[in-house]
Amino acid sequence: MKVELLTNSEKRDLQKDIIAKLRDLIDYKNLEPGDKLPSERMLSEKFGVSRSNIREAIQKLEFYGILNSKPQSGTFIADIGRIAMSGMMEDILRLEEPDFKSLVETRILLELKTVRLAALRRTEEDLKALEIALDAYKQKVLNKEDAVEEDLLFHLAIAKASKNSTMNTFMLIITPQIITNFEKYHVCDSNQSLMGIQEHEDIFQAIKDQNPKLAKQMMKVHFNVLYQYCYHTD
């Protein structure tokens, strides 16, 4: 199977199929918490897919806390009850790809938290990273170039400065899809990008001054267009 030729939709279907087969295997073998799964090679041969496909499915189940991979040891069933695990597997199989509006809503909720934490916890190293990202964004905008990626890299630097690894991870997960869809949905234009320079500078200054209240307020100002997109469109 040449996975590289599959569309994104086909890849998602394949991953769901592998997860369903893993669920059936766990049920058939009556595997309990702490029991070890067959190796990736064995699963690959059994399911007729590549090892990379197996690995991706296992990583997804790890993310949801169903499996636990240990280096040099293998992959094990997490310490959760059979009923809970079965229900979680069914929920994962029913999950749909998030639409762009949902991603943006999630981003807004996350960033209003991360920017406050960044203002409280930022280090000098964080400020340098933020400044580099801000300068890269400004340069692209002033050169009338697409600055969507630089914009989001600045926001990822804020998430990192928050020192909350979970929120940082969520930002890393949703950011690629946001980058892919920003221009498709015409969320930003050149005038908004020019306004964004000042807004980014205001956010940066509030974080530098360790003023969490002002940092959150400036982030809300920055998200004004996104708020309008989420809550004033059908």
Side-chain angles (χ1 to χ4, degrees), residues 1 18 21-22 25 38-55 58:
M1 180 176 293
I18 294 171
K21 287 178 177 177
L22 285 170
L25 178 69
S39 67
E40 288 181 3
R41 179 183 59 79
M42 292 177 66
L43 290 171
S44 171
E45 293 173 357
K46 184 177 181 64
F47 297 162
V49 297
S50 70
R51 290 181 65 174
S52 63
N53 293 144
I54 296 294
R55 192 172 303 116
I58 287 175

Side-chain angles (χ1 to χ4, degrees), residues 137-149:
Y137 173 75
K138 287 166 63 175
Q139 185 175 345
K140 279 286 187 78
V141 171
L142 295 175
N143 288 337
K144 301 186 184 304
E145 298 177 60
D146 185 330
V148 169
E149 187 171 339

